[in-house]
Amino acid sequence: MAVIASFLFLFLWCSVPLDAHGFHTYIVQLHPHSIPASASATGLQNKLHWHLSFLDRATFLEGGGDASSRLLYSYHSALEGFAARLTEDEVAALRALPGVIAVRPDSRLELHTTYSYTFLGLNFAPGGAWSRSRFGQGTIIGVLDTGVWPESPSFRDDRMPPVPTRWRGVCQEGEHFNSSNCNRKLIGARFYAKGHRINYPEKSSSVSLLEYVSPRDAHGHGTHTSSTAAGAAVPGASVLGLGAGEARGMAPGAHIAAYKVCWFNGCYSSDILAGMDDAIRDGVDVLSLSLGGFPIPLFEDSIAIGSFRATERGVVVVCAAGNNGPVPSSVANEAPWITTVGASTLDRRFPAFVRLGNGRILYGESMFPGNHFSKNGGKELELIYEAGGQKGAEFCLKGSLSKARISGKMVVCDRGVNGRAEKGEAVKEAGGAAMVLANSEINQQEDSVDVHVLPATLIGYAQSTILKSYMNSTFRPVAKLVYGGTRIRRSRAPAVALFSSRGPSLTNPSVLKPDLIAPGVNIIAAWPSNVGPSGLQEDRRKSNFTVLSGTSMACPHASGIAALVRSAHPSWSPAAIRSAMMTTADVVDHLGKPIMDGKEPAGVFSVGAGHVNPARAVDPGLVYDVQPEDYIAHICSLGYNQAEIFTITHRNISCGKLLKGQKQFNLNYPSISVSFTQGRTSTTIQRKLTNVGLPDSIYTVQVTAPPGVTVTVTPKILAFGGINEIKSYTVVFESKKGVQEEGSVAGGQLMWVHSGRKKYKVRSPISVTWGA
Ligand SMILES: *[C@@H]1O[C@H](CO)[C@@H](O)[C@H](O)[C@H]1NC(C)=O
Ligand SMILES: *[C@@H]1O[C@H](CO)[C@@H](O)[C@H](O)[C@H]1NC(C)=O
Ligand SMILES: *[C@@H]1O[C@H](CO)[C@@H](O)[C@H](O)[C@H]1NC(C)=O
Ligand SMILES: *[C@@H]1O[C@H](CO)[C@@H](O)[C@H](O)[C@H]1NC(C)=O
């Protein structure tokens, strides 16, 4: 299987190669209004015929072939349309047919805990998030990922309530998977391989990787994310003895439905859409997608399009922000109806120091079990770097290392190019005794640990510079690894993970993204017992848990917490649930100081509204609600044309009419994003708050104005009578002239503070950008 580390190099949109017959896979979107009455009235089978009628008219079939042989999927819920294999001429013919609104090539996307629930303050206290939501009972989380390992103890259903009667999903049979693998915890499982198979036909595939043609997870990623969202309690969980504790998902009472849309080579849009299409019909409450690509316009983005439909039907869609940080504007999955999640660090450490021959001790981290350390890495060993003269030896690429030179030595490998666990495997294969993984400048002090197949530690960039100059300074450099166990101490955590993708959103800077951050570094969660905890095929050790890092791990934390809020408030809209999570998020770390991003306090474009706080999210006091129509008005205000809006919404909207009388339309978003462009120095926004806390509540505004901006809120006091009462306010932002340069950014906040005993604080981050 692809190595764990590759999740950090996620996110690539690639054009799909032609298959052997000169076909591409395309996703064809149809106009639902042109559905013949017979088809719309009588269900899916007739819709399928209707979809095939388009293929019949546009394809050039030889020898009386059958158009259905070209069809991969027929979609009805996530969008109206189908995926099919077509030539370019056929695409042109399809585009010319009435009723066809868009034809897009399929695209490939990539996959982007024993402890994190305690870190997030989840506990059994009465009035806490778990007690208020009954652990998320009655809620169903759909996870689109690499499938699931159903035997994992995290998916046991011991104290689970029965499957909700509204559930329409299935437990799809396949290779090593049958209906007995589902239970009251894992209530559904399906798989989607057609888009993937086009590119990797079974027989011609040169890749000899293990893969199950079923919902079974041959990779591990989906098992990990599903258990993070809603895994059952597993006492005595550990990774080869490390990080031991009781493993538990965020919503241990919620049900899980696995939709396997990702395979060893990534995830194809056509398969993802098919999974979303079923998940919406099956009746999931929350959809969790730890995958994505680079930012692209919403009307070309299958996840954005499918999740618009899902949101309309009340499903909360939560997505990973991507692992392309700290580059600005790298945030993906940024549609305003999606909850976009960045990653933060925990305060749990796995110290494994490098003690150099000159006595200097360098801090590093590792998850290699200590007792093995003392046998191999714990001895003083000769250090060696770039050992082999071969290209790539500094990265410890497979086959680049010289057995003669590294045998029995401690090999220094630069981070980057290949997977981290893979480097360990390469060193071990070539006879190395231990490994020091050295961060390069771009990784700085980022410290995602891995489970390695030999004694190893990861050191930061500063330490790696010291190590290398020591190696330069002496004829025979030596070092030993000193293992420090698992340590939890109050420290500057959470902090923003270096790799977490940053805003401002490239396609829509008028909405601040990411929305929030959640734990995503060194997360321990369930793992298939036949995939080694390093994620490498060669690794034969067995463990029901492993450690992974990425916004892929942050996303299911937020999905599980969304399920808790949904359980506590079953009637809330997806927007109200997101608002509750955002306005209650923490902006300080566990020491009460500002959340950090490297050496600086974190800005709004890295943390969004802050670090998710489940105990407060289930009882936010006030929420900013959004109706699906408001999202349409919003994309109108962005200047999308009618065809583009149709592609996203499946509705023929006249933006002129919709925005009539509301020239200054503002999406009622829980964060505020202001840009001063084209000489504008003043802007006014409006927001509406719904009282979901206590009747007869008075809230007073407190503003921290972004530097260089004057902020005026009217009114300054909001008095709510009853529950569900709605109050509006306006905010005027004025840029102080001459203060700011083009391209500069600033952050601030606006907070409504409850004057009663509850002391609700409803906080919105403010981002301001100048120019462009
Ligand atoms: C993993 O879980 C299975 C099923 O609960 C159990 O039988 C097995 O002992 C566990 N393995 C380890 C290494 O804990
Ligand atoms: C599912 O597979 C298991 C193991 O092969 C078998 O024991 C069981 O009877 C099967 N269940 C069904 C419903 O086919
Ligand atoms: C070590 O020496 C090599 C070769 O002389 C040089 O390229 C490198 O920059 C040195 N590294 C450090 C950290 O001093
Ligand atoms: C949308 O409506 C306009 C007029 O109301 C019509 O001319 C146009 O064809 C419609 N477009 C679609 C895609 O339905």
Side-chain angles (χ1 to χ4, degrees), residues 30-43 46-48 50-51 53-54 75-76 79-81 98-99 309 650:
L30 301 174
H31 194 318
H33 304 156
S34 52
I35 299 177
S38 60
S40 60
T42 43
N46 283 321
K47 284 203 181 179
L48 175 62
W50 178 56
H51 290 175
S53 75
F54 285 88
Y75 309 118
H76 312 284
L79 57 76
E80 190 64 50
R309 275 285 186 90
H650 283 80

Side-chain angles (χ1 to χ4, degrees), residues 95-173:
R95 285 205 168 109
L97 289 178
V100 172
I101 60 169
V103 184
R104 291 185 297 276
D106 199 2
S107 53
R108 189 171 75 91
L109 287 78
E110 298 200 4
L111 290 167
H112 290 311
T113 62
T114 58
Y115 173 67
S116 50
Y117 63 91
T118 316
F119 182 75
L120 285 170
L122 282 167
N123 54 45
F124 299 92
W130 273 348
S131 92
R132 288 183 74 111
S133 66
R134 294 171 301 126
F135 299 93
Q137 249 187 49
T139 305
I140 304 162
I141 304 176
V143 181
L144 269 69
D145 212 298
T146 61
V148 67
W149 190 260
E151 291 82 9
S152 160
S154 295
F155 305 122
R156 288 177 62 164
D157 67 351
D158 297 12
R159 277 178 290 167
M160 288 296 292
V163 176
T165 51
R166 64 194 163 87
W167 178 242
R168 299 272 165 275
V170 299
C171 197
Q172 190 180 356
E173 307 226 328

Side-chain angles (χ1 to χ4, degrees), residues 666-742:
N666 287 135
L667 187 63
N668 197 35
Y669 214 78
S671 56
I672 300 170
S673 187
V674 174
S675 51
F676 294 114
T677 49
Q678 293 156 358
R680 260 175 81 180
T681 57
S682 165
T683 188
T684 303
I685 64 118
Q686 275 145 34
R687 289 288 187 271
K688 284 181 303 202
L689 279 162
T690 307
N691 182 19
V692 295
L694 297 170
D696 303 319
S697 283
I698 293 175
Y699 286 83
T700 313
V701 77
Q702 287 178 8
V703 175
T704 308
V709 180
T710 314
V711 180
T712 315
V713 184
T714 325
K716 291 186 166 45
I717 293 178
L718 294 177
F720 293 89
I723 296 294
N724 291 330
E725 199 173 296
I726 297 171
K727 296 275 178 203
S728 303
Y729 64 91
T730 60
V731 192
V732 180
F733 295 91
E734 283 168 297
S735 174
K736 295 177 194 163
K737 278 201 197 77
V739 178
Q740 300 301 331
E741 290 168 26
E742 287 269 309

Side-chain angles (χ1 to χ4, degrees), residues 465 468-469 472:
T465 311
K468 285 177 191 167
S469 59
N472 272 0

